[in-house]
Amino acid sequence: MEILAFGVQADEKPLIEQAFRRHHEVRCLDVFLNEDTAPIAAGYEIISTSVNAELGPRVLEVLAAGGTRMIAQRSTGFNNIDLKVAERLGMTVARVSYYSPYSVAEFAWTLAMAVNRRIVRASTRTRDFDFRLDGLMGRDLRGRTVGVLGTGKIGEAFTRIAHGFGMRLLGWDVAENPACLELGMKYVPKDQLLAESDLITLHVPLMPETRHLIDAAALRAMRDDAILVNSSRGGLIDTAALVTELRAGRFSGVGLDVYEAEAGLFFHDKSLEAVEDDTLARLVTFPNVLVTSHQAYYTEDAVGQIVDATVRNVLDYRAGRRSENVLVPRS
């Protein structure tokens, strides 16, 4: 049996081919799954998709009509999949429930430090042999307060690094993490965390309850010189509201690895095209904002774990087994 994998990055392709070779043939495509590309899957019982695949009702119906019965998504998030429609169509859906939390946590810290110490601006200057320090002053983080929204595996990994920096730890989540408590974290209401934190980082999943968790009111509750980092899901932040606050001169720095309208943009080369997204175009013009293209997970360790878990999901489907990765079981 041959598996069809959509949205495969160049660095990812050899890992996928090697992992699947022992069990099944795999055909890797660099195009992402959407309504235009869904017909390519005709005749493939099993497909694998990336986090930016569009798996709404119309795409799922096209896949089902073409014979697809199993979707193995290579990500933890699954807000791009209409699970109810998939279940109605008799399709099995699985994701990767776990991979290296350090990949994302370390990258979130990379964003925080880059905007705090003005690394991008400094690098751009020195390339032009401009070695002035004007406008490059940052702050020590030792002794300052970090607010971690979401203290699961990634939030815990971020907290351990913050503890190493010697920061005061505030947390917010539906359940307290004992490991974070042992590090000295104090769980507080969200408004208190926003008001008291010098650095705020987001590590919660995107669900209807968390969409625009950081809205206009939340942004106004933050300190004017706060640093905001999001390496989780773009929809957690109301980007239009964020732009409004940035235009008012607020925030010491903002690091974003995700963007709420990233589908169709991230993972693509748009450098020779006119920018149609006015909000994103405005966002990247602020000197205190750093935007990266959803790469926090992109380490050899994490991608290797994601690929291995995807292979196991396919093998489980073929054997009629069910694991914690299954979102919609085999009917």
Side-chain angles (χ1 to χ4, degrees):
M1 174 180 290
E2 187 177 47
I3 314 300
L4 182 63
F6 284 94
V8 177
Q9 304 295 315
D11 298 330
E12 186 184 19
K13 183 177 179 180
L15 296 175
I16 291 178
E17 291 178 337
Q18 181 179 359
F20 270 102
R21 188 175 296 125
R22 296 188 297 270
H23 309 284
H24 296 288
E25 294 296 321
V26 62
R27 177 187 176 195
C28 294
L29 303 178
D30 58 2
V31 298
F32 292 88
L33 179 61
N34 54 40
E35 193 168 334
D36 293 329
T37 60
I40 300 174
Y44 287 90
E45 180 182 348
I46 303 172
I47 67 168
S48 177
T49 58
S50 65
V51 67
N52 271 1
E54 298 176 14
L55 286 158
R58 177 56 185 156
V59 171
L60 290 172
E61 289 169 358
V62 172
L63 292 174
T68 298
R69 293 294 175 262
M70 195 267 181
I71 298 170
Q73 177 138 302
R74 303 187 306 278
S75 72
T76 298
F78 54 91
N79 54 284
N80 60 319
I81 308 173
D82 193 321
L83 298 180
K84 291 183 179 179
V85 173
E87 184 176 16
R88 174 173 60 79
L89 294 171
M91 305 176 78
T92 300
V93 181
R95 60 154 178 171
V96 177
S97 59
Y98 175 86
Y99 60 85
S100 168
Y102 309 106
S103 61
V104 179
E106 291 173 6
F107 193 84
W109 267 107
T110 301
L111 290 174
M113 295 303 295
V115 296
N116 178 42
R117 301 306 300 268
R118 323 300 185 200
I119 298 299
V120 175
R121 184 185 300 179
S123 176
T124 301
R125 283 186 183 180
T126 56
R127 285 177 179 272
D128 293 330
F129 288 86
D130 179 354
F131 299 102
R132 293 172 300 158
L133 297 181
D134 297 347
L136 300 183
M137 184 175 288
R139 293 178 291 175
D140 288 2
L141 293 180
R142 180 175 179 81
R144 287 190 159 84
T145 299
V146 61
V148 183
L149 292 160
T151 56
K153 292 182 177 67
I154 297 173
E156 178 188 330
F158 187 96
T159 300
R160 291 187 181 279
I161 299 172
H163 181 262
F165 270 90
M167 302 187 74
R168 175 183 176 229
L169 310 174
L170 296 182
W172 176 87
D173 208 328
V174 294
E176 298 181 354
N177 185 332
C180 292
L181 290 172
E182 289 181 6
L183 293 170
M185 173 171 279
K186 178 182 179 182
Y187 281 85
V188 297
K190 186 181 74 169
D191 289 345
Q192 181 180 345
L193 181 149
L194 296 175
E196 297 182 10
S197 297
D198 300 287
L199 166 60
I200 296 166
T201 182
L202 308 181
H203 300 292
V204 299
L206 179 61
M207 304 178 292
E209 299 82 6
T210 60
R211 182 166 185 80
H212 287 179
L213 180 70
I214 303 299
D215 57 11
L219 291 165
R220 288 194 297 268
M222 293 169 55
R223 294 181 174 182
D224 288 344
D225 62 352
I227 294 172
L228 174 63
V229 172
N230 185 11
S231 58
S232 182
R233 290 292 181 268
L236 298 175
I237 297 179
D238 183 338
T239 315
L242 176 60
V243 169
T244 298
E245 297 302 313
L246 288 165
R247 291 184 64 183
R250 301 191 63 225
F251 307 135
S252 174
V254 176
L256 305 174
D257 185 50
V258 287
Y259 172 60
E260 62 180 323
E262 68 181 56
L265 289 172
F266 283 21
F267 306 139
H268 296 278
D269 181 4
K270 300 290 184 178
S271 60
L272 299 179
E273 301 178 22
V275 179
E276 298 180 358
D277 189 322
D278 293 337
T279 302
L280 180 60
R282 185 68 180 94
L283 188 65
V284 298
T285 64
F286 293 103
N288 57 334
V289 174
L290 174 58
V291 178
T292 53
S293 53
H294 206 140
Q295 70 183 80
Y297 78 99
Y298 207 53
T299 66
E300 291 181 4
D301 310 79
V303 172
Q305 292 168 4
I306 290 169
V307 171
D308 288 343
T310 301
V311 172
R312 289 196 300 272
N313 288 341
V314 170
L315 294 178
D316 285 344
Y317 164 80
R318 295 281 290 163
R321 296 187 297 263
R322 182 173 178 178
S323 73
E324 71 279 1
N325 289 340
V326 176
L327 299 169
V328 179
R330 185 170 186 173
S331 55

